[in-house]
Amino acid sequence: MELNSIKPADGAKHAKRRVGRGIGSGLGKTAGRGHKGQKSRSGGYHKVGFEGGQMPLQRRLPKRGFKSQTIKFNAEITLSTLDRLGLPEIDLLALKSAGLVGDLIRVVKVVKSGEITKAVKLTGIGATAGAKAAIEAAGGSVA
């Protein structure tokens, strides 16, 4: 087999339908569009959701709800989770590698839930006032 002898399988390719090219083609005169009406005219069709002038469904229904995109990239982590992690220095990369936050997370904040006994140093991670006080009381720091 050579590159110049490759051809598609039988029936895989078929000729394009040439409309409006005489009666012999079977699609002459009206070119398969029928007689009269909006769909037969050139440029005459409607946009998606158009209901002939009636108020479309997407405009009849009330607008409801909102999903914040910022939730996708922010995460919270508790003091007890930090305690279980057992690392002396914790940053965003360490939390991602431990599987505690997702790969898309950009901002992490420590909240005061549970207790922390080990001294940890947080870098690039935020903390609430209560969580910061608890970390510093255990001998750690928040940078």
Side-chain angles (χ1 to χ4, degrees), residues 12-103:
K13 305 280 267 180
H14 49 87
K16 196 177 124 196
R17 183 176 290 158
R18 296 185 70 217
V19 297
R21 293 293 182 274
I23 58 172
S25 69
L27 288 166
K29 194 186 169 213
T30 56
R33 287 170 169 257
H35 295 278
K36 297 188 185 173
Q38 187 179 20
K39 288 201 252 183
S40 72
R41 320 252 181 230
S42 69
Y45 211 58
H46 52 76
K47 60 187 177 200
V48 175
F50 184 69
E51 297 183 19
Q54 174 176 299
M55 186 64 70
L57 184 68
Q58 74 269 21
R59 291 189 60 198
R60 287 197 302 264
L61 297 176
K63 290 194 282 185
R64 272 197 57 154
F66 168 75
K67 192 163 188 175
S68 175
Q69 294 296 309
T70 57
I71 292 171
K72 249 189 228 177
F73 307 114
N74 296 348
E76 287 182 352
I77 199 157
T78 62
L79 286 174
S80 53
T81 308
L82 288 183
D83 202 37
R84 270 188 268 124
L85 196 58
L87 295 173
E89 291 192 21
I90 297 172
D91 60 351
L92 188 59
L93 197 61
L95 293 174
K96 284 182 181 181
S97 60
L100 295 173
V101 295
D103 291 333

Side-chain angles (χ1 to χ4, degrees), residues 122-142:
L122 296 182
T123 51
I125 295 173
T128 61
K132 187 176 179 182
I135 290 167
E136 287 171 351
S141 65
V142 180

Side-chain angles (χ1 to χ4, degrees), residues 3 5-10:
L3 284 175
S5 67
I6 295 173
K7 63 178 192 146
D10 290 334

